[in-house]
Amino acid sequence: MIFERIKSEGLAHLSYFVGSGDEAIVIDPRRDCQIYSDLARREGMKIKYIFETHRNEDYVIGSLELKELTDAELYHGQGVDFKYGNFVRDGQEFDFGSMKLAALHTPGHTDESMSYTLADPDAGKEPLMVFTGDALFVGEVGRTDLYGPEEAPRMAANLYDSIFNKILPLGDRVILCCPWRGFALRRGYLQAGVQYPGPGANPEPCSAED
């Protein structure tokens, strides 16, 4: 298996290239997507699938551009009128090379948020990795206030269910692949002189004594 984590400097964003045999997938590609085609060419692979974990509002995703370059199938969660790609169902499975990827609906940050588990059937049925999108950050969980204060309790309940009843039961041996934004979000708030309050809360300005 080939596993590459691609970090977008300045955007606090991670995307993933995973390959097996002569096929590969990309999860949450950045707009400057030539890097994925270059990786596939280097490894002698064809990008078969592109997966989005959720609709991103803080950077421009490169899924359509990568699809045009590779003719890969593009999938994302249901609940948003994306105008492109295909809707993925909870539990839907995809094979590439000898690997199997399964979709896991993990709403809370957004209604259509998806995670994806990766397994090697030759080694067993248990997943090796899970790509959590914005359900989990580094040191944080996803915000639950994106739909406004009226919807925040519902989204928080959904996120709690996603984390404790869907992601954590995957077990301690599963490698967590998340998008790196937790540290960058806290650092950005601090650089702006704002106390980072954690997900779902309204930031308050730092006092001179903070």
Side-chain angles (χ1 to χ4, degrees), residues 2-196:
I2 301 296
F3 178 87
E4 294 279 352
R5 186 181 68 172
I6 295 93
K7 183 178 180 181
S8 301
E9 298 293 342
L11 290 180
H13 165 249
L14 292 178
S15 57
Y16 296 92
F17 176 99
V18 186
S20 174
D22 59 357
E23 297 177 326
I25 64 169
V26 176
I27 298 175
D28 285 339
R30 68 187 194 187
R31 183 65 178 273
D32 179 14
C33 58
Q34 185 62 45
I35 187 171
Y36 311 107
S37 294
D38 292 343
L39 282 169
R41 188 178 303 110
R42 184 191 75 186
E43 301 296 337
M45 295 176 172
K46 176 180 174 58
I47 297 176
K48 186 177 182 180
Y49 299 117
I50 303 165
F51 297 98
E52 295 181 1
T53 56
H54 69 296
R55 184 179 69 178
N56 289 280
E57 304 289 354
D58 47 358
Y59 71 94
V60 179
I61 199 163
S63 300
L64 279 176
E65 287 77 6
L66 185 58
K67 177 177 173 56
E68 291 178 0
L69 285 174
T70 63
D71 199 32
E73 296 181 30
L74 170 55
Y75 289 90
H76 42 59
Q78 302 186 47
V80 173
D81 189 9
F82 280 94
K83 306 293 186 184
Y84 66 88
N86 306 291
F87 291 124
V88 66
R89 303 185 310 274
D90 185 41
Q92 188 172 354
E93 296 181 341
F94 301 85
D95 296 317
F96 65 102
S98 64
M99 308 299 291
K100 185 179 293 293
L101 182 128
L104 184 66
H105 186 210
T106 50
H109 178 60
T110 62
D111 283 331
E112 86 287 355
S113 290
M114 302 297 299
S115 296
Y116 299 97
T117 62
L118 182 68
D120 180 357
D122 291 338
K125 295 182 180 180
E126 297 302 317
L128 305 174
M129 299 180 180
V130 58
F131 302 87
T132 60
D134 282 10
L136 287 180
F137 294 126
V138 176
E140 290 290 343
V141 299
R143 289 178 58 179
T144 58
D145 62 345
L146 297 182
Y147 296 167
E150 297 83 5
E151 288 289 296
R154 177 180 70 86
M155 300 303 288
N158 286 344
L159 186 61
Y160 182 94
D161 180 69
S162 293
I163 292 173
F164 285 93
N165 296 323
K166 295 182 179 181
I167 296 176
L168 292 185
L170 295 174
D172 293 339
R173 295 186 178 182
V174 173
I175 298 172
L176 180 65
C177 301
C178 49
W180 190 250
R181 292 202 186 94
F183 170 74
L185 282 171
R186 291 194 295 274
R187 182 177 61 183
Y189 272 113
L190 293 173
Q191 288 175 343
V194 175
Q195 181 67 45
Y196 182 70

